Amino acid sequence: MFSGHGEWQITKDVVVTSGVFTRKAVERIAHEAFALAMQRRKKVTIVHKANVLRLSTGLFLNVCREVAEQYPEVKVDDYHIDAMAAHLVRRAADFDVIVTENMYGDILSDLAGELVGSLGLAPSLNANEHMAMAQAAHGSAPDIAGLNIANPTGIISSGIMLLRWLAEKHTDHKLPEVAATVDGALYQTLQDEVKTKDLGGHASTSDFTEAILDRVNSLQK
């Protein structure tokens, strides 16, 4: 063996990749999805590729279906990952909570970000039972680093998600108010046509951020 961890290069011409699916991990993410759905439109879509990866994503699909039985109020459907990408483009409004494995989720989240106007709008939150990390879905965007043109909506929205996660975990009633204030200011900024370059506007990162801060201050008066 040449090298590898998760991916193994057996020879200079052959690489093998593995994926690990455990019942415990799938149950955890499935419960999170269904609990979130209960707060929203009570609809969950399971995304998989069980027609090809019968054991790995087959386990994912079956465990999600088992968890679904504990949430009879939630409507459940499932799609293969390739079909789901097409359905999102054609009829994104038909979906709400999507539960899937990491790589498929990474792909679909970027697609969803572009569908609403720009990947710069998309937030993300990586969380388990004890800790969470907020980051914009687009990553560090090194190609525009230092140019003051990045859309900060994604990272600000990620911070809002983190505030709400912390509020739930620590039963803090003030944090949802803070999250709602920032969320409202962000929404108003976009409604007022303050746009960064990726949205067809001319506002810099600093301009956009200052506009949000102005609206936060006005909402607090």
Side-chain angles (χ1 to χ4, degrees), residues 9-137:
Q9 187 166 3
I10 307 302
T11 73
K12 65 177 183 178
D13 299 316
V14 178
V15 174
V16 176
T17 301
S18 70
V20 179
F21 291 73
T22 67
R23 174 174 291 274
K24 180 180 179 181
V26 178
E27 286 178 343
R28 181 174 65 84
I29 193 65
H31 278 294
E32 289 290 336
F34 281 93
L36 180 60
M38 289 294 293
Q39 302 172 29
R40 295 170 58 92
R41 291 164 49 190
K42 297 184 179 180
K43 183 175 183 180
V44 170
T45 299
I46 307 165
V47 177
H48 58 91
K49 192 62 177 173
N51 60 326
V52 176
L53 302 173
R54 298 177 184 272
L55 295 179
S56 56
T57 65
L59 176 68
F60 185 91
L61 173 61
N62 291 334
V63 172
C64 284
R65 284 174 171 167
E66 292 172 9
V67 172
E69 295 176 0
Q70 302 176 43
Y71 300 85
E73 298 178 54
V74 178
K75 181 180 178 181
V76 183
D77 55 11
D78 70 90
Y79 292 94
H80 298 145
I81 175 61
D82 44 352
M84 187 63 194
H87 285 303
L88 270 182
V89 172
R90 186 182 307 117
R91 53 187 187 93
D94 290 346
F95 302 99
D96 192 42
V97 177
I98 297 172
V99 60
T100 188
E101 56 98 55
N102 185 65
M103 183 172 68
Y104 300 161
D106 196 14
I107 294 167
L108 292 179
S109 61
D110 279 14
L111 173 59
E114 289 295 340
L115 285 174
V116 298
S118 168
L119 188 55
L121 297 171
S124 71
L125 186 72
N126 298 316
N128 61 20
E129 298 96 327
H130 309 294
M131 63 186 71
M133 179 184 71
Q135 63 177 11

Side-chain angles (χ1 to χ4, degrees), residues 116 118-124 135-138 150-161 182-183 186-187 189-190 194-196 198-199 205 208-209 212:
V116 298
S118 168
L119 188 55
L121 297 171
S124 71
Q135 63 177 11
H138 56 67
N151 186 340
T153 299
I155 190 62
I156 293 171
S157 295
S158 299
I160 292 168
M161 292 173 67
V182 178
D183 199 17
L186 175 58
Y187 179 79
T189 300
L190 293 169
V194 181
K195 298 179 181 179
T196 46
D198 59 313
L199 297 176
T205 306
F208 191 90
T209 304
I212 293 173

Side-chain angles (χ1 to χ4, degrees), residues 118 120 138-152 196-198 205:
S118 168
H138 56 67
S140 61
D143 56 319
I144 58 173
L147 300 180
N148 200 27
I149 61 173
N151 186 340
T196 46
K197 184 177 180 180
D198 59 313
T205 306

Side-chain angles (χ1 to χ4, degrees), residues 196-216:
T196 46
K197 184 177 180 180
D198 59 313
L199 297 176
H202 302 286
S204 67
T205 306
S206 300
D207 294 336
F208 191 90
T209 304
E210 287 296 328
I212 293 173
L213 290 173
D214 289 342
R215 286 158 180 79
V216 167

